[in-house]
Amino acid sequence: LATLLAELGDHTEEDRVRLRDMARDLSEMFFIVAVIGEFNAGKSSFVNALIGEKLLPIGITPTTEYIELIRYSEIANRTPHVREDGLREWAHPNTGAPAVAIVDTPGTGSVFQKHEKTAKDFLHRSDLVIFVISSKRAFADTERMYLQMAQDFGKKVILVINQVDLLNPSEQMEVRRFIESQVKDRLNLEPLIFLASAKEALANPDRKSVV
């Protein structure tokens, strides 16, 4: 189909690249869960909490433009390899199910514009978007923009308010109500919303502190 579009000449290169990406994803994996959010919202920590160990590197500065892709495998591969398309690939048995891949994208809103482009380019490839929002910086303009893009692409979205360990219970509910009203009023979205503490989940894996 991408080749046919090129021959017809009435579609953009972006459309053709998107179709080729989707074809590759369909041939290589079945269901892609993309974790997206602002830099320093705790995305990598959240992914680590989901799989139950500190697999992905965590830093306080945006040091890489890699997209981290974790494939399902019965045996974990903790030494990633960088693919030709720029993805850094890992393997782990806790992605959720066979044929499920979890993707950690570079943080949006970082000081490096190349991070923005990398995250944006991957958004269309996802089957499910988990949008991680920091409880201390709820609903920035870039977050609204990316949620709008996910909506335009027709993606299923789950919102995770991370770092709730920094708030008391009443503050947690206040932040949740605020984000819920913002996405409803500004985007007409009513996604599932979860409160999470990736930090506590990693420290106490038996407590299930993450969704």
Side-chain angles (χ1 to χ4, degrees):
L1 183 56
T3 301
L4 178 61
L5 287 176
E7 293 174 354
L8 293 175
D10 60 350
H11 289 265
T12 66
E13 177 63 22
E14 182 178 333
D15 291 330
R16 294 192 289 273
V17 170
R18 185 175 300 148
L19 282 167
R20 292 192 179 102
D21 287 343
M22 292 172 68
R24 175 172 182 170
D25 293 336
L26 286 170
S27 67
E28 292 186 353
M29 61 191 75
F30 179 70
F31 194 84
I32 300 176
V33 179
V35 180
I36 292 177
E38 287 258 290
F39 162 70
N40 219 16
K43 296 190 310 329
S44 296
S45 294
F46 176 78
V47 173
N48 285 341
L50 278 180
I51 64 175
E53 70 168 287
K54 296 179 181 179
L55 181 71
L56 300 183
I58 299 171
I60 60 173
T61 58
T63 55
T64 179
E65 70 263 36
Y66 285 124
I67 287 178
E68 310 283 8
L69 186 150
I70 308 174
R71 286 181 176 276
Y72 173 84
S73 174
E74 293 183 0
I75 300 175
N77 175 17
R78 297 176 177 85
T79 304
H81 76 273
V82 179
R83 301 179 0 174
E84 292 183 359
D85 58 3
L87 273 69
R88 185 157 60 179
E89 186 173 312
W90 313 69
H92 202 277
N94 293 345
T95 63
V100 173
I102 299 175
V103 176
D104 180 20
T105 60
T108 67
S110 77
V111 296
F112 299 124
Q113 290 185 354
K114 60 185 178 182
H115 289 181
E116 290 278 348
K117 185 179 185 304
T118 304
K120 189 180 297 182
D121 287 347
F122 202 84
L123 183 60
H124 73 270
R125 300 171 65 177
S126 61
D127 297 293
L128 172 67
V129 174
I130 299 179
F131 205 96
V132 179
I133 298 174
S134 170
S135 65
K136 301 296 287 186
R137 296 192 315 277
F139 215 61
D141 285 341
T142 50
E143 291 170 330
R144 180 195 57 77
M145 179 189 71
Y146 272 82
L147 281 172
Q148 181 67 66
M149 289 177 57
Q151 185 181 39
D152 292 343
F153 283 136
K155 303 302 179 181
K156 297 178 181 178
V157 178
I158 293 175
L159 292 186
V160 172
I161 304 171
N162 192 26
Q163 302 170 337
V164 296
D165 55 288
L166 302 176
L167 306 177
N168 62 45
S170 63
E171 290 173 331
Q172 293 175 14
M173 292 302 103
E174 181 180 352
V175 168
R176 181 192 175 107
R177 286 192 296 268
F178 172 76
I179 293 175
E180 198 169 29
S181 66
Q182 288 290 301
V183 296
K184 172 62 176 176
D185 296 343
R186 301 175 67 177
L187 299 171
N188 197 30
L189 283 174
E190 297 183 73
L192 291 173
I193 299 177
F194 295 92
L195 302 180
S197 171
K199 179 181 178 181
E200 289 186 352
L202 284 169
N204 305 283
D206 294 333
R207 292 183 58 188
K208 306 296 183 184
S209 301
V210 73
V211 295

